[in-house]
Amino acid sequence: MLLSTLGALIVSSLAGLSVAQDDQLSTVTNQSTPIASLYGDSFKNAGGKVLTEQVNVYVVFYGNWTSLQDEQTTFMNFIDGVSSTQWFSTLRQYTDSDGHGVTGPLNVAAAVNDAGSRGLTLSDANVHKQIILDAVNSGYLSPTNQIDPNGIYVLFAGNDVSDSEFCTRNCGYNSHSDQFQYMFIGYPGTCTDYCIPPMIHDYSPNESPAIDAAVTIFSHEVQDLLTDPRNDAWMIQQNGTTIELGDFCAGSDVPDGEWYGTVNKIEEKNATYNLEVGNQKFLVQTIFDLENKKCVLSKS
Ligand SMILES: *[C@@H]1O[C@H](CO)[C@@H](O)[C@H](O)[C@H]1NC(C)=O
Ligand SMILES: *[C@@H]1O[C@H](CO)[C@@H](O)[C@H](O)[C@H]1NC(C)=O
Ligand SMILES: *[C@@H]1O[C@H](CO)[C@@H](O)[C@H](O)[C@H]1NC(C)=O
Ligand SMILES: *[C@@H]1O[C@H](CO)[C@@H](O)[C@H](O)[C@H]1NC(C)=O
């Protein structure tokens, strides 16, 4: 565990980041036929690597998170625990050319708070990447200031941060540089109708629709990053848009029953969930099961 309080970056909590692509919660493309039925039979690895074995996850909480520390913990608990679920095991069938599939575990290796070193109005993916590099160079994400080329960097913007595409074109997206892959997630509470799934809009499993929605967004982006970290593996280029695994089971043309599978209710909270991780409950999107050509929460 690292702990530091120098400069703009303050470590808050530590346990145990293609082509830029927009992944709106609601839809990535505007087609009338679901992606799974269009491409389910032809989906294959274009030859690139997938992220196998342990994948370290580095979280940069950007902006003002001082009153949201429980939410940060909930978010990191999900990441640290999700790879032991049947949901995650569905990713094993996504292999590289040597037959190595996505196994996990995911491990939150480090997390930092950056109160806003590059301002609170973010313009584009270049700034997102720079913020991640700043965090790496600060030494708070790794003792040696090294980029982890096989890790996943998560830039999670707080509720005081605005971004040129967040809330208008996406709720989160994944992308990469030559050296690392990452996802950006905006604070879903900023535009609740756009970025919080309707079924957890008012009541959510962890009594924070914004953080529970961030987990749902993560459950999409992590599928893309694990199976297509550099936009050369499990992806389809279609008419200028990149379609990745997470896009198969999400979108305005995908019925809720496929998007989220069979959901349950926590009666006392009136909250909907579909996955238990440790002692917490979450709403994740389904994963495309290549073998059975279905969107599933679990293969078994
Ligand atoms: C999506 O398709 C609908 C109906 O075909 C159309 O009205 C709408 O403008 C399209 N949206 C985008 C973002 O292209
Ligand atoms: C951060 O948020 C807290 C709680 O919302 C607030 O009290 C504090 O003033 C904010 N800090 C800054 C630097 O804006
Ligand atoms: C490809 O994109 C162009 C321009 O956005 C659009 O007019 C065309 O219908 C698209 N084709 C397909 C197959 O989606
Ligand atoms: C429970 O949630 C649903 C929608 O999620 C809402 O329509 C209903 O009014 C809620 N019930 C209570 C008792 O709050």
Side-chain angles (χ1 to χ4, degrees), residues 21 23 28 35 220 224 242-251 285:
Q21 182 195 337
D23 279 330
V28 64
I35 287 169
H220 178 122
D224 297 349
T242 302
I243 296 170
E244 291 172 307
L245 179 59
D247 303 320
F248 275 68
C249 299
Q285 77 159 65

Side-chain angles (χ1 to χ4, degrees), residues 30-31 39 238-240:
N30 193 16
Q31 46 198 13
Y39 301 110
Q238 181 236 28
N239 209 11

Side-chain angles (χ1 to χ4, degrees), residues 198-199 202-203 265 270 272:
M199 61 177 84
D202 298 323
Y203 306 92
K265 198 125 196 170
N270 192 24
T272 302

